[in-house]
Amino acid sequence: MEPLRGRSAELGRLLEAMRAADQGAASLTVVSGEPGIGKSALVHAAVEQAERHGFLVATAAAHQTDNISPLSSLAPALRASKDPLIGTEHFLELAALNTQPLWLAERLADLIGQRLAGTSALVVLDDAQWSDPLTGFVLRVLISRLAETQVMWLLATRPSPGGVTDQIVDALGDQLPVHHIQLTPLDSEAVLQIAADRLNQPVDAALTVRLGSAQGVPFLVEQVVAGLYLADGSAEGPLPDGLVEGVRRRVAGTTELCRSLLRTAAVFGSEFRLSDVAALMGEGVARLAEPLDEAIRAGLLADSGAHLTFRHELLRAAVLADVPPSAQRALHSAIADQLLLTEQGASAAAPHILATAAVGDLASISTLRVAARDLLTTMSITAMSVIQETFELTPADHPLRGEVGADVVEILLVARQYDAAQAFANDLLGGTPLYQGPVTPELTARVRLLLAPQEWAVGALDAARLTVAGAPQPLADRLSAYRVLADAAEPFETEDPVAAAVLQLAHAEQAAAEGRFADAAAAYAAARGQRASASAVNAPGSEVGTPPAVRVELAELFCLAQAGEPITALRRVTEGLPGDSWLAPQLAALRAQLELAVGNLPAASEAAKASLRWSAEFHDPSAEPTARQVLALVALLQGDLAAARKVPDEPVRALLAMADGDTTAAERLLATPLDHPIRLELLLHAATHLPGTGQAAADLLADHAPAGAQLVAAANKRDLIAVAQAVEHLRSSQRPLLVAAAEELHGRVELEHGDRSTGIAALERALDSYTQLGATAFAVPVQAVLQAAGVRRRRWSAVQARPESGWEALTPMERKVALLVADGHTNRSAAEELVLSASTVGTHLRNVFSKLDVNSRVQLTRLVLQRFASPPNA
């Protein structure tokens, strides 16, 4: 390998990052610069150094044509080298995940993480600006997920504001160090060194003068030496004039067949197959062997075995500059025909069609629509670009433009561009210059039905937009069904399977809103069945308006859990739901709720954090409130009250107020929403800790937890036999927190009525359950009751030790005193409120001052105001 000249400082920074990775500090380095400035040479030098130091090295380079093939930019890095990152068997498995980007990225992260355990690695992607969209997404996930490994990530890119590398850097935030290396032109000494290296002798005076025209750009320096860059040409602009002239002179010395090969290949792209070029030229592959050798010896092409490439994109551009525009158009057209003829697909032909198609070219429009469909499942971003350009090729007043416009809406939705899809649909149907053809009822109905499922998912159905006079009957039925779902129409009979699915969905939504969760789960399941029937009808437009299957199943499983079967629902989730990884944040949020319902607090927290991570990956905040609610509940149950206070969940606030000494806050738990993941537990908790809520809690439990209602009612009446029977019935519940709360209520009631043995046994079962679940906050008061009853244990290890300082160090009574004093009470008035002596209140207040490190009532009041915004009712 030729020595690297003039880049010692930059190489030093790369080696520093490499050493850090070897010591366990992962990082990302982005090398950027204009074409020809030496990015690839610097990357190659880093690779050579990494190999010398025993690193596992994985390298790949993106190409301009990568955006039609998923993961094509990164795949060589996964499989290249003697010791690849991914084994053959696992790599073949990944192909099935191309349509599910998050599952693919997560699986890759697991596999690479296992491979890199204890191994230092360098992963390189050159020309990252051309990365396919899936590669860009996967890299964002991989670099983040593997932040704890010994890996150095190296991306080389041309300046591309908002491009792949910027997106990766933005997504990383501060998860690991990011180093930026901006390459600038070389100094004169480095230029002369490069020339001497290439010549293997000192540079003479005449060449030294000519080298000045390269303006410090290493690639141009090499081309001056090779005779492919003329000194009298300008180096300004994207393609230096001197390079065009130099390449032209070099090509002129080759045979006509070699020149034809180069011109055809330049139009084809930076990477191509010899067989395709031979077919376009009407020549046999064997006849092109000698011309190919000429092109390689001329320094223009390189042969990797499977493909041929231009040695540099600037060389291809220089060859292409000598191909007249009319010849380029003819070649693009011929290439497109060739790719279609050899069944390489409409998607491969699309870039060449777009290079030549004119407005009104209906044949090209038809092929491009097929290409967009082909790309949709694996490359939705590319599909979006193709269909939008196809729309522009369709005349504004042609009826076909409306159909292509509907395709645009559909593909924007698949690409998760919801706002863009809505805006485009409004313009398409609104009589704007975007479309001047006939806005038929069928077109309007189809576009509205494309949008309706997403509008349902985000709660934005507008009944006024679901009425289209004159729409064909199946579409009219589907619109009417969505009006029912929007609660703006009455249910009706229909034979259309999509409309039937939406009607079942409406029934399920109504049942869930009323708390009839078993009915809702059954209706959601029926909606999925109807949806499957619609999907089985393999005809154009047969699925338009179909509710998204995974979203429906998520709702079904939540209702199943609320109906008393959280373990069943959790099993279905953990076994894996089919379909859309784009819904991973919602799926993880549901899993967090289900894990919480069955009392698995660590798993609930882990799932909630995964939901937040994936929400950030997809820029989809819809699942964040649920995930944060679960995290707050878990934190509260585990006794981490500071973390629980970060989420504005009303039941959490009520529980925090109770923990701060406000026993009346238990009454606020009665307002817990029907869809709260642990509503039943909270209602029972309220009945246990504030007797006045008993009847109200029993009434609220009656419809959804009859055994819980019986328990509370029996406790209100002090019917000990009925209490014991209700608790026994609840023990079969799939909700361990609910069972523990029932045992706690049972024990308290028994103790109140003098049955010490039964009461203590029940309370100890409650304490043991809370402890096993990690519900420290619920265990604390149970332990206090047991200790007050004279129960002695060698260790009360279930309950975490109280901190020595800070708000969490205060006892419940000290918190009450602190809140009353902050609310303006004197020692005497606080004593009257708490039924204590003034001296006892003074003792508690001194303890408060010590633990909170304050020395006056003013400071105490300020601290309470900072914590609560206003002093809660103590």
Side-chain angles (χ1 to χ4, degrees), residues 388-408:
Q388 287 174 324
E389 293 190 62
T390 306
F391 182 78
E392 295 302 322
L393 290 173
T394 314
D397 58 353
H398 196 289
L400 183 61
R401 189 168 170 101
E403 294 181 29
V404 179
D407 291 348
V408 173

Side-chain angles (χ1 to χ4, degrees), residues 772-788:
Q772 185 176 6
L773 295 170
T776 303
F778 282 11
V780 168
V782 176
Q783 177 178 305
V785 173
L786 286 169
Q787 289 174 325

